[in-house]
Amino acid sequence: MIIKSASLDVVCGVTSVLPESDMPEIAFAGKSNVGKSSLINSLMNRKSLARTSSQPGKTQTINYYNVNKQIFLVDLPGYGYAKASKSEKEQWGKMVDRYLHSSSALEAVFLLVDIRHAPSENDKMMHQWIVSNGYEPIIIATKLDKIKRSQIPKQTKLIRTGLHLPADTRMIPFSATSRQGREEIWKIMENVIAGEGAYGNHSGQEAGV
């Protein structure tokens, strides 16, 4: 897909009213420093459009990125930052819960997990949360360039086992450096834009492996 326009259109805080739109939405969830901003910037061919914070865990807004006036990429607040206060963690939880419950335009959820490590307790909680809200998350295994190619099968299996994923759950290893996995992610987004749904026919095989 050719990116003709990409902009940060809406920023929602704890008390903000979530926007209503006739455009489909795809949400991105993941812990702090998992690479959500890098992924979104890569998808949009921009270096710094997606917001980042100088202090991990401090970004507490839901950011809506308008791509080609066809789809919203919705960046959910990063979770799991150890130094975040209890009130900050509760604030994050309320925002994400409200979004998952309230967005009538949400078509798919990407859950980002660091391919180098087994899923954390927060990753497991987020996965269960997404499933409990009626969505089948697509797993994006980030930081692919940080491991050897020979390690990919072992690490993706570690994630599948850690999250207790069904065999047909789609997982896409992704590198913001090499952009491996970008086209697979865009194909899903193009399906959503075309009204064909995010999941379609696929096997549980990892893309690009």
Side-chain angles (χ1 to χ4, degrees):
M1 174 175 283
I2 298 174
I3 308 298
K4 298 178 180 178
S5 63
S7 60
L8 175 59
D9 274 17
V10 182
V11 177
C12 291
V14 178
T15 60
S16 300
V17 177
L18 296 176
E20 294 185 7
S21 172
D22 56 2
M23 293 197 306
E25 298 172 6
I26 292 181
F28 295 76
K31 66 182 180 182
S32 299
N33 293 333
V34 75
K36 281 196 291 97
S37 295
S38 296
L39 171 60
I40 293 172
N41 284 329
S42 174
L43 290 173
M44 296 190 290
N45 285 327
R46 301 292 191 273
K47 291 184 177 180
S48 57
L49 181 58
R51 290 187 166 191
T52 59
S53 173
S54 59
Q55 292 180 289
K58 292 295 184 182
T59 302
Q60 292 293 331
T61 56
I62 299 175
N63 301 327
Y64 290 72
Y65 296 95
N66 185 334
V67 181
N68 288 352
K69 297 182 180 179
Q70 292 180 304
I71 190 170
F72 276 119
L73 308 189
V74 182
D75 185 10
L76 301 177
Y79 57 81
Y81 183 56
K83 293 184 179 180
S85 68
K86 182 178 179 180
S87 62
E88 286 174 329
K89 292 176 182 177
E90 290 177 351
Q91 183 182 66
W92 167 82
K94 290 178 181 178
M95 292 177 67
V96 174
D97 186 58
R98 181 162 62 99
Y99 174 76
L100 291 176
H101 272 96
S102 304
S103 178
S104 59
L106 181 59
E107 295 288 340
V109 181
F110 288 123
L111 175 59
L112 281 63
V113 180
D114 191 327
I115 198 170
R116 299 174 297 177
H117 310 295
S120 66
E121 289 304 312
N122 284 308
D123 290 329
K124 296 175 184 178
M125 178 192 71
M126 187 70 241
H127 177 261
Q128 293 170 359
W129 208 346
I130 295 169
V131 171
S132 68
N133 277 280
Y135 297 95
E136 177 190 344
I138 297 167
I139 310 300
I140 308 297
T142 63
K143 304 184 185 292
L144 178 61
D145 51 285
K146 303 295 185 182
I147 66 172
K148 296 178 180 179
R149 186 172 180 82
S150 61
Q151 295 176 294
I152 296 175
K154 175 185 175 182
Q155 294 306 115
T156 53
K157 182 179 180 181
L158 190 67
I159 293 172
R160 285 190 176 279
T161 302
L163 294 179
H164 303 289
L165 299 178
D168 64 346
T169 298
R170 188 164 189 178
M171 184 184 302
I172 303 175
F174 173 79
S175 166
T177 302
S178 70
R179 294 195 168 193
Q180 181 174 333
R182 182 180 183 273
E183 294 307 312
E184 288 86 355
I185 297 170
W186 254 118
K187 180 60 179 175
I188 294 170
M189 294 167 57
E190 287 170 346
N191 288 343
V192 169
I193 292 171
E196 299 173 359
Y199 304 99
N201 295 318
H202 65 267
S203 68
Q205 297 293 320
E206 277 67 47
V209 178

